[in-house]
Amino acid sequence: MEILLNSGTTLVIIAAVVGLFMAWGIGANDVANAMGTSVGSKALTIKQAIIIAMVFEFAGAYLAGGEVTSTIRKGIIDASFFIDTPELLVFGMISALFAAATWLLIASALGWPVSTTHSIVGAIVGFAAMGVSVDAVTWSKVGGIVGSWIITPLISGVIAFIIFNSAQKLIFDTEKPLQQAKRWVPFYMFLAGFVLALVTIKKGLKHLNLHIGTADGYIYAIATAIIVAIIGKVFINRIKFDETAAMKTHYANVEKVFAILMIVTACAMAFAHGSNDVANAIGPLAAVVSIVDNGGQIAAKSSIAWWILPLGGLGIVAGLAIFGHKVIATIGTGITHLTPSRGFAAELAAACTVVISSGAGLPISTTQTLVGAVLGVGMARGIAAINLGVVRNIVVSWVITLPVGAGLSILFFWFMKAIFV
């Protein structure tokens, strides 16, 4: 307790710097993979994607990142083990942030899309199990996260496979793809509007203390979807195409319609992602600030100091702008060749999976969701369309994320104890 009284300000400053580093890692890795499909399909240039992500990620993080956050992210460790030694929880949270951020830096440099959620979870498990007690970890929660490695990509892959195949059969494999696009694309716009509105309501606006019930959420989502579909139909009907042009030109024009859809899905996903995943950086930071401010008292929830959310938002934006291009390249072009229609199928499938998983209470990784969706689109064209070497590297990086995060966290935790105790 004396450590917190004597070195509290120093610990908060260290936590703020490391929290900024973690937010930077989220931007470099997680945000990059959310934008990868848009860039890989050439719906957006890398510059446009970074600008869109900067605006919507920051807006999501700052406007809907939450006034209050769980002190122990994901409820994976038992706070009662730290009541007599709150300084150990402070050391642990700083160590976990530094460990997860270090791993994200390494993975981003290699172009590996790893899960920021799993990075921070592995790091928290590491310091708690080795530095405090094995019993301090809620192992059933960890088991659920490991299970999500298989379930999440599988769900999104199947949905992407279905969406892509439906677009092929209804639009691309017909004699008049442009006419079919005018008929069917508003339905895809309705589906996209509905799912993205639900994602925003469930993952984003819940942080703004707008208590929207389940039934109301669906009503708002349907209303939004109808408006999106009507606006889409008006714009598509205005587009004039040369019906006598070669079939190749028709396909190119249909892809342009899907490119517009991709931009809409990219904006909404960036907002929802910013609001949800900024907690991986600011949750442990807010916990440190709360424990120091309350003289060692550990609350179940930590109110977030005014400067923490903008710090998280700025970190995310900086990480994407400086280092995001490598992971964008892996998702966009490394796994399979993407066109706007394929990219749209992948992004919409990822959004559907987020809604399904949050409704079922499954722990979700946006990274694994999107990679699974891109794989699903690739599988729809046959196994030869997938770069299996890239996929192998990605899967290996997922498997080692938890142990690497845990190992680094233990080292940093012992280092901090050696300095302060």
Side-chain angles (χ1 to χ4, degrees), residues 188-198 221-222 224-226 228 348:
Y188 288 110
M189 294 187 97
F190 175 87
L191 184 59
F194 176 70
V195 172
L196 293 168
L198 267 186
I222 290 167
T224 305
I226 291 168
V228 168
L348 184 55

Side-chain angles (χ1 to χ4, degrees), residues 23-29 31-32 35 46-47 49-55 57 313-326 328:
W24 188 93
I26 291 171
N29 201 289
V31 179
M35 286 287 143
I46 195 156
K47 195 174 177 182
I50 286 170
I51 291 167
I52 284 174
M54 280 179 170
V55 172
E57 287 278 345
L314 285 170
I316 285 175
V317 165
L320 175 71
I322 296 166
F323 221 50
H325 59 279
K326 293 205 171 189
I328 284 177

Side-chain angles (χ1 to χ4, degrees), residues 103-371:
W103 170 236
L104 287 175
L105 174 64
I106 295 164
S108 301
L110 295 167
W112 292 348
V114 296
S115 168
T116 54
T117 306
H118 294 179
S119 301
I120 194 74
V121 165
I124 290 173
V125 167
F127 92 78
M130 295 299 291
V132 183
S133 167
V134 173
D135 296 330
V137 179
T138 312
W139 292 105
S140 59
K141 292 261 185 185
V142 179
I145 289 162
V146 172
S148 75
W149 289 348
I150 301 161
I151 296 165
T152 309
L154 192 66
I155 295 169
S156 61
V158 168
I159 296 170
F161 186 92
I162 293 166
I163 294 169
F164 176 70
N165 271 338
S166 71
Q168 285 293 113
K169 285 188 169 57
L170 296 172
I171 298 170
F172 288 96
D173 293 345
T174 61
E175 289 180 7
K176 295 186 175 178
L178 280 174
Q179 283 185 13
Q180 293 299 98
K182 287 183 177 182
R183 176 187 294 176
W184 290 108
V185 166
F187 286 100
Y188 288 110
M189 294 187 97
F190 175 87
L191 184 59
F194 176 70
V195 172
L196 293 168
L198 267 186
V199 168
T200 308
I201 289 164
K202 281 182 174 290
K203 303 291 272 186
L205 300 183
K206 70 175 183 182
H207 299 300
L208 287 175
N209 288 331
L210 297 175
H211 300 293
I212 299 168
T214 305
D216 288 343
Y218 279 100
I219 291 165
Y220 292 142
I222 290 167
T224 305
I226 291 168
I227 293 164
V228 168
I230 291 168
I231 292 169
K233 189 158 181 66
V234 168
F235 274 100
I236 291 165
N237 287 339
R238 281 185 178 178
I239 299 170
K240 296 286 179 267
F241 296 125
D242 182 6
E243 294 288 342
T244 61
M247 191 60 84
K248 193 176 178 182
T249 310
H250 283 223
Y251 290 140
N253 287 329
V254 173
E255 291 291 0
K256 282 178 189 170
V257 175
F258 277 102
I260 296 164
L261 270 179
M262 277 222 71
I263 295 165
V264 175
T265 55
C267 293
M269 284 296 280
F271 181 86
H273 179 272
S275 66
N276 191 59
D277 278 34
V278 73
N280 288 329
I282 66 168
L285 171 56
V288 171
V289 174
S290 169
I291 293 164
V292 171
D293 285 352
N294 294 327
Q297 293 294 313
I298 301 169
K301 299 275 183 183
S302 315
S303 58
I304 296 176
W306 65 269
W307 53 271
I308 293 179
L309 274 174
L311 181 90
L314 285 170
I316 285 175
V317 165
L320 175 71
I322 296 166
F323 221 50
H325 59 279
K326 293 205 171 189
V327 177
I328 284 177
T330 301
I331 295 282
T333 56
I335 298 171
T336 190
H337 175 65
L338 291 176
T339 60
S341 58
R342 293 170 196 159
F344 170 72
E347 206 143 279
L348 184 55
C352 288
T353 310
V354 170
V355 170
I356 292 164
S357 300
S358 36
L362 290 170
I364 186 149
S365 157
T366 47
T367 304
Q368 294 174 350
T369 307
L370 199 69
V371 170

Side-chain angles (χ1 to χ4, degrees), residues 342-418:
R342 293 170 196 159
F344 170 72
E347 206 143 279
L348 184 55
C352 288
T353 310
V354 170
V355 170
I356 292 164
S357 300
S358 36
L362 290 170
I364 186 149
S365 157
T366 47
T367 304
Q368 294 174 350
T369 307
L370 199 69
V371 170
V374 173
L375 277 172
V377 169
M379 287 297 289
R381 297 165 53 231
I383 196 84
I386 296 170
N387 186 334
L388 294 175
V390 171
V391 174
R392 184 191 63 239
N393 289 343
I394 290 171
V395 172
V396 168
S397 72
W398 288 355
V399 172
I400 63 173
T401 290
L402 277 180
V404 169
L408 288 171
S409 177
I410 293 160
L411 288 176
F412 296 144
F413 181 69
W414 286 337
F415 182 66
M416 286 203 72
K417 273 182 75 175

